[in-house]
Every structure is written in C-alpha cells, then in structure tokens.
Amino acid sequence: MDVKLREVEFEEVQDTILKQLKKGVFLTTKSGEISNTMTIAWAISGRMWEENSFAVAVRHSRYTFELMEKSEYFTVSIPKRDTMKEELAFCGTVSGRDQNKFEENGITAKYLTGCPVPVIEACELHVVCKIAYKQSMDPSLIKADYVKDRYKTNDYHTLYYGEVIGVYENSSQAL
Ligand SMILES: Cc1cc2nc3c(=O)[nH]c(=O)nc-3n(C[C@H](O)[C@H](O)[C@H](O)COP(=O)(O)O)c2cc1C
C-alpha cells in the first residue's frame, strides 16, 4: 500500500483521538527485533513538562507490558472512524505471546523516519511517543470501587507517559 503521511499538530487531532478511543486504537511496541500491537481504550492526551503528552495504561499481564518495560518508544495508531473493527477485536483478545499479530491481514507494520517502533499502516492517524515517565498503579491510591470492579485479579496497570515527538495523518484519505 502506498500511504502518504503528513505531519499535523497534536492539538488538531484531539477530537479524532477521543472519539475513536472508546472504540479502540492500536498501541504498538518493539523491543529488540520483537514488535507487537494491542488494542487500548484507556489513555490520556494533554500537556506535561511543557510538552505534548500521551499516556497509556497497560495491565501487567499483557505481553505489551513486557515489551514496554524494555522500550524507549511507543506508537498509537488511530483507525478511521468505525473501520478496522475486526482488527481491533483481534488485537484486543489475542496475545502476541501466542501469535504474531502482524501476520494477520490488515495489520501491517510501517516504519516512520526517526522512530524505532512501527505504526499500523492502515490507520488514519499515528502518534509517536518517547516514554518520559512511567508509574505502576498503587492499589491503595485507587478509588475503592474501581479496585473492587476492575482489579479483582490484582492485574494493575502501569501508566506510561509519552512525550509526543510526532503526529502523522494519512493524507491519501482525509479523516
Ligand atoms: C476495546 C478494547 C480496549 C482495550 N483497552 C486496553 C487498555 O487500555 N489497556 C490494557 O492493558 N488492555 C486493554 N485491552 C486488552 C488487550 O488489548 C488484550 O488483552 C490484548 O490481547 C493484549 O495483547 P498482548 O498480550 O499482545 O499485549 C483492550 C481490549 C479491547 C478489546
């Protein structure tokens, strides 16, 4: 696929990110020669340390967590609205421990200049991040009903705050 990307301002794409987030976006990681992607729906987009920042929440049971712990970068790829539903469901249920998700149709890795972690080629928008800070959740500081409802198996999240180093839109098809 011949995909043309153009760099866009982070501020311009906030609505697009927020609207798609609840339906799922792709979080991609790479450590050494191993890359992997998974679906995420929890993330925060904003400003930290006077930089555009994007934070993702990864449970410790995920293969992605293992790779994130060894990586300096991550990418977030946002599908065009209401597309890639099957790919999101697949990447949100299958673990990269069991299957190489990049061997599936529609999940093709594309490398951008200056970033060692690929993006998902078929998506309309890509946010490239360098990890600035990470923090494993402290159960004693989480709202009690969230602990009860969302962490029954003690599978807590680590929050990874990425400094946004580039945002790219697929200009062959406007969002
Ligand atoms: C819509 C959707 C949203 C999800 N959001 C998250 C998330 O924000 N954080 C997380 O740790 N897992 C999330 N998951 C679960 C992972 O995507 C799933 O467990 C995946 O198979 C993990 O892949 P991995 O083991 O290759 O990392 C989500 C799943 C779906 C379907």
Side-chain angles (χ1 to χ4, degrees):
M1 201 196 299
D2 183 23
V3 172
K4 290 193 181 62
L5 295 176
R6 76 177 176 102
E7 193 156 9
V8 292
E9 295 295 326
F10 187 52
E11 293 89 326
E12 280 176 27
V13 295
Q14 295 308 306
D15 273 6
T16 306
I17 293 175
L18 203 53
K19 280 179 185 146
Q20 181 59 33
L21 198 53
K22 60 184 115 167
K23 296 172 185 173
V25 302
F26 298 95
L27 166 64
T28 306
T29 49
K30 183 171 187 190
S31 167
E33 290 310 303
I34 302 173
S35 47
N36 185 47
T37 192
M38 78 167 197
T39 304
I40 57 163
W42 292 8
I44 301 223
S45 194
R47 296 272 303 166
M48 284 295 288
W49 304 286
E50 294 173 26
E51 301 285 352
N52 291 330
S53 301
F54 197 84
V56 295
V58 181
R59 287 192 196 262
H60 297 169
S61 61
R62 314 296 187 222
Y63 186 45
T64 297
F65 173 69
E66 275 182 54
L67 300 180
M68 288 288 273
E69 284 295 290
K70 294 184 250 170
S71 182
E72 275 182 85
Y73 295 86
F74 63 86
T75 67
V76 176
S77 294
I78 295 106
K80 188 176 154 93
R81 233 170 141 187
D82 292 328
T83 65
M84 300 188 78
K85 288 181 183 166
E86 275 176 34
E87 292 86 348
L88 287 166
F90 173 71
C91 292
T93 48
V94 171
S95 176
R97 281 191 197 96
D98 305 320
Q99 202 171 330
N100 181 348
K101 300 181 206 178
F102 291 105
E103 282 168 4
E104 287 301 304
N105 280 343
I107 306 166
T108 303
K110 179 182 175 68
Y111 284 88
L112 308 180
T113 312
C115 180
V117 177
V119 298
I120 307 300
E121 188 177 56
C123 288
E124 291 301 299
L125 193 64
H126 310 285
V127 182
V128 176
C129 295
K130 184 163 190 184
I131 297 172
Y133 178 68
K134 62 180 177 177
Q135 188 169 44
S136 182
M137 283 179 178
D138 177 341
S140 71
L141 302 178
I142 306 173
K143 200 167 164 253
D145 55 326
Y146 285 176
V147 174
K148 196 162 132 288
D149 298 343
R150 297 169 192 273
Y151 298 102
K152 289 189 175 96
T153 61
N154 293 326
D155 189 11
Y156 289 95
H157 290 89
T158 284
L159 298 167
Y160 295 90
Y161 292 73
E163 175 189 328
V164 175
I165 58 171
V167 183
Y168 302 91
E169 185 186 87
N170 179 350
S171 59
S172 23
Q173 218 176 348
L175 289 171

